[in-house]
Amino acid sequence: QVQFVESGGGLVQPGGSLRLSCAASGIIFSAYGMGWYRQAPGKQRELVAYIRSGGSTNYADSVKGRFTISRDNAKNTVYLQMNSLKPEDTAVYYCHTLAEPGSWGQGTQVTVSS
């Protein structure tokens, strides 16, 4: 059974930082590209960062230069370091792999507010 468990969210002031973690199980993690997605209230879920099995990365324009995705294959975990956070980054954040389209975790809430 594929499972993703996200953690690390919280309330942070604008300009602050958070590090999200996602522990994966039930997949050959090292073989899969992994993405961090987010969904704000009333908006569609969007991809914000992606890391391929080989380690190359892509970012949405809205987070480029502020967010960094990384992975630790030994721990079956993908991370999202978020710096210079803005109120518009407020959302529920999920990790996901396109190789398992029906599998989503519960997400972790990130709220950026003063």
Side-chain angles (χ1 to χ4, degrees), residues 13 19-20 24 67 69-71 80 86 96-97 103 112:
Q13 292 187 342
R19 188 193 194 206
L20 307 184
F67 290 11
I69 188 171
S70 60
R71 64 191 299 160
L80 186 67
K86 304 176 181 180
H96 180 66
T97 177
S103 297
V112 185

Side-chain angles (χ1 to χ4, degrees), residues 8-12 16-20 66-68 80-85 93 109-112:
L11 173 64
V12 63
S17 298
L18 284 173
R19 188 193 194 206
L20 307 184
R66 300 188 297 122
F67 290 11
T68 302
L80 186 67
Q81 178 67 45
M82 305 187 296
N83 299 328
S84 302
L85 282 161
Y93 284 72
Q109 175 71 48
V110 172
T111 302
V112 185

Side-chain angles (χ1 to χ4, degrees), residues 58-101:
N58 289 97
Y59 298 91
D61 287 343
S62 59
V63 307
K64 203 171 292 183
R66 300 188 297 122
F67 290 11
T68 302
I69 188 171
S70 60
R71 64 191 299 160
D72 184 338
N73 289 337
K75 296 182 178 179
N76 283 7
T77 299
V78 60
Y79 304 97
L80 186 67
Q81 178 67 45
M82 305 187 296
N83 299 328
S84 302
L85 282 161
K86 304 176 181 180
E88 51 263 44
D89 295 318
T90 295
V92 180
Y93 284 72
Y94 304 86
C95 70
H96 180 66
T97 177
L98 295 177
E100 296 287 341

Side-chain angles (χ1 to χ4, degrees), residues 1-6 22-35 50-53 71-78 95-105:
Q1 182 180 357
V2 179
Q3 189 173 17
F4 301 111
V5 180
E6 300 92 346
C22 170
S25 60
I27 59 172
I28 305 174
F29 181 80
S30 61
Y32 290 177
M34 293 294 302
Y50 185 79
I51 185 166
R52 296 172 183 80
S53 57
R71 64 191 299 160
D72 184 338
N73 289 337
K75 296 182 178 179
N76 283 7
T77 299
V78 60
C95 70
H96 180 66
T97 177
L98 295 177
E100 296 287 341
S103 297
W104 292 88

